[in-house]
Amino acid sequence: MVIKAFVFRPTKSVVWDDVHVSHPRCMAYETHTHFVNVYGQADGLWTVSNGLTIAEVKQGTLRHWIETNFGGVDIEETKHPVGETVTGVWRPGLFYDAEMLGALGATQSELRSAEQVLLLLVQRLDELLLFIEPTKSTLQTFGHKSRELLILACTEIESLWRHYLELAGLNPPKHGFNTNDYVRLVRPLFLEEFEVTLPRHKDVPSIRPYLGWNVHPSPTTTLGWYAAYNKAKHDRRNYFFEASLLRCIEAVAANLIMFSVRFGPYRLYHGAGPLAALFNANFSISIRECSPDEFYVPELKVENWQRRTWGRAEIEQRRPIPFKL
């Protein structure tokens, strides 16, 4: 059964005092028997919390229930039915590690491989930062180690982009994919939304490596760090300076984002291995200017809840659909 949901901003709290202030986004839907509402945050990774669920036996319409009980405003219908996810594309509303791989159509082997590659990139950048303190006067510093890291990071990015084009069923042209093909991923993967910061280094600006990536004037020139990689790789004599510390940071940030899209960002924060330790020591990741109507709505087990009940609700198994361009 396809169940549509609404996202909205609550303006009052029903059960928990001021929960609408700390969690100012909600998702609500109806089942055969109940109205269901779950609270979420509106910054950072926009986490949706099934521990803050309210369900009530149906009476009247869902919209009236939203407006009466939560003071709901800016009510919009979600793009995805309740419980649905897209293979390979993380969105807020998907949180728990136990359900992440199944919901995103990935395997444990793929995750381990991706973690190993990303760990190598983050380690290389961490080592670089031991020798160059990133300040306004040093961010343009370059050398053989920075060029090496930039090339490594960008070739991995190309591999990840190619993965998504193939996942969408595209066959590579005779001479292979290029940025005219890769740029098509910007919107379906929500790449422009992601922002990476380095909290310990105040002179490093916040980084949105995919912001503004488009076909005009060309897909390569609108992606500055990737254009720098192409120049430094193919013409070191004239463009060695393009392999700067800042370009390395941007390229590693772009890889962190691709990992977050494919496997969710939470393992970067809460994983048990060295990748999480290095990530937490250097980075923070969030999404900006996002559309909550494109988030995933968890289907919650509330069929045995009586009258109005609140608390933590278990999540039904997700239903991934194919990734398409």
Side-chain angles (χ1 to χ4, degrees):
M1 177 183 177
V2 175
I3 306 173
K4 286 289 188 177
F6 292 107
V7 291
F8 64 93
R9 290 194 303 107
T11 60
K12 64 180 181 179
S13 299
V14 181
V15 177
W16 299 283
D17 291 341
D18 295 330
V19 69
H20 68 285
V21 176
S22 60
H23 292 71
R25 283 287 177 178
C26 287
M27 298 175 168
Y29 65 93
E30 62 181 295
T31 70
H32 289 304
T33 57
H34 288 76
F35 293 137
V36 183
N37 180 68
V38 58
Y39 284 92
Q41 296 174 334
D43 58 9
L45 294 172
W46 291 65
T47 304
V48 176
S49 178
N50 63 307
L52 296 173
T53 300
I54 296 177
E56 189 168 6
V57 175
K58 286 171 62 172
Q59 187 173 357
T61 68
L62 175 60
R63 183 178 285 270
H64 182 262
W65 186 71
I66 290 171
E67 293 171 340
T68 301
N69 290 278
F70 308 99
V73 296
D74 300 333
I75 303 172
E76 297 180 90
E77 189 173 290
T78 58
K79 299 287 197 307
H80 294 284
V82 175
E84 182 179 275
T85 56
V86 177
T87 298
V89 184
W90 173 83
R91 290 272 78 199
L94 184 58
F95 177 80
Y96 293 104
D97 198 46
E99 63 173 349
M100 196 72 71
L101 293 182
L104 297 178
T107 66
Q108 193 68 41
S109 175
E110 289 172 331
L111 173 61
R112 175 173 172 75
S113 177
E115 287 180 324
Q116 289 294 98
V117 172
L118 189 59
L119 175 61
L120 174 62
L121 298 177
V122 173
Q123 283 177 328
R124 292 281 184 94
L125 180 59
D126 191 58
E127 290 169 4
L128 201 57
L129 293 176
L130 290 176
F131 293 93
I132 307 173
E133 181 66 21
T135 66
K136 292 177 181 178
S137 61
T138 63
L139 285 173
Q140 299 307 318
T141 301
F142 62 92
H144 291 286
K145 282 296 183 182
S146 61
R147 178 174 179 265
E148 179 183 68
L149 175 55
L150 183 61
I151 292 172
L152 187 63
C154 288
T155 52
E156 178 58 23
I157 280 288
E158 290 172 336
S159 176
L160 295 169
W161 290 341
R162 189 161 53 249
H163 162 78
Y164 276 99
L165 293 182
E166 292 171 352
L167 185 64
L170 274 64
N171 294 315
K174 183 178 180 180
H175 299 292
F177 293 123
N178 58 38
T179 50
N180 290 303
D181 306 298
Y182 299 142
V183 73
R184 297 175 61 187
L185 297 171
V186 173
R187 185 68 187 88
L189 299 184
F190 305 93
L191 296 178
E192 289 190 299
E193 294 179 4
F194 285 87
E195 180 180 81
V196 175
T197 58
L198 280 72
R200 291 170 55 195
H201 303 290
K202 61 181 178 61
D203 286 342
V204 179
S206 59
I207 300 165
R208 294 175 70 176
Y210 296 102
L211 188 64
W213 190 20
N214 59 69
V215 297
H216 301 294
S218 78
T220 297
T221 58
T222 53
L223 207 59
W225 51 272
Y226 187 78
Y229 146 73
N230 270 292
K231 292 176 180 178
K233 176 185 177 182
H234 296 292
D235 189 357
R236 178 183 59 80
R237 186 169 63 88
N238 290 309
Y239 293 105
F240 198 10
F241 68 92
E242 293 281 7
S244 67
L245 174 60
L246 179 59
R247 291 308 193 193
C248 288
I249 294 172
E250 291 170 337
V252 172
N255 274 274
L256 290 170
I257 289 168
M258 291 302 297
F259 180 91
S260 298
V261 169
R262 191 176 179 193
F263 300 104
Y266 298 108
R267 288 187 67 86
L268 296 175
Y269 284 100
H270 308 306
L275 176 58
L278 277 174
F279 174 84
N280 284 299
N282 290 290
F283 300 101
S284 180
I285 192 166
S286 58
I287 55 176
R288 306 290 184 198
E289 300 168 22
C290 52
S291 299
D293 62 330
E294 295 177 307
F295 294 173
Y296 295 148
V297 185
E299 183 175 0
L300 304 172
K301 299 179 181 180
V302 298
E303 61 273 9
N304 295 323
W305 288 24
Q306 302 297 317
R307 298 185 177 87
R308 175 182 290 173
T309 309
W310 55 91
R312 177 174 296 275
E314 295 299 314
I315 300 174
E316 296 279 6
Q317 186 172 347
R318 307 285 183 153
R319 299 186 301 277
I321 62 173
F323 171 71
K324 296 180 181 180
L325 288 176

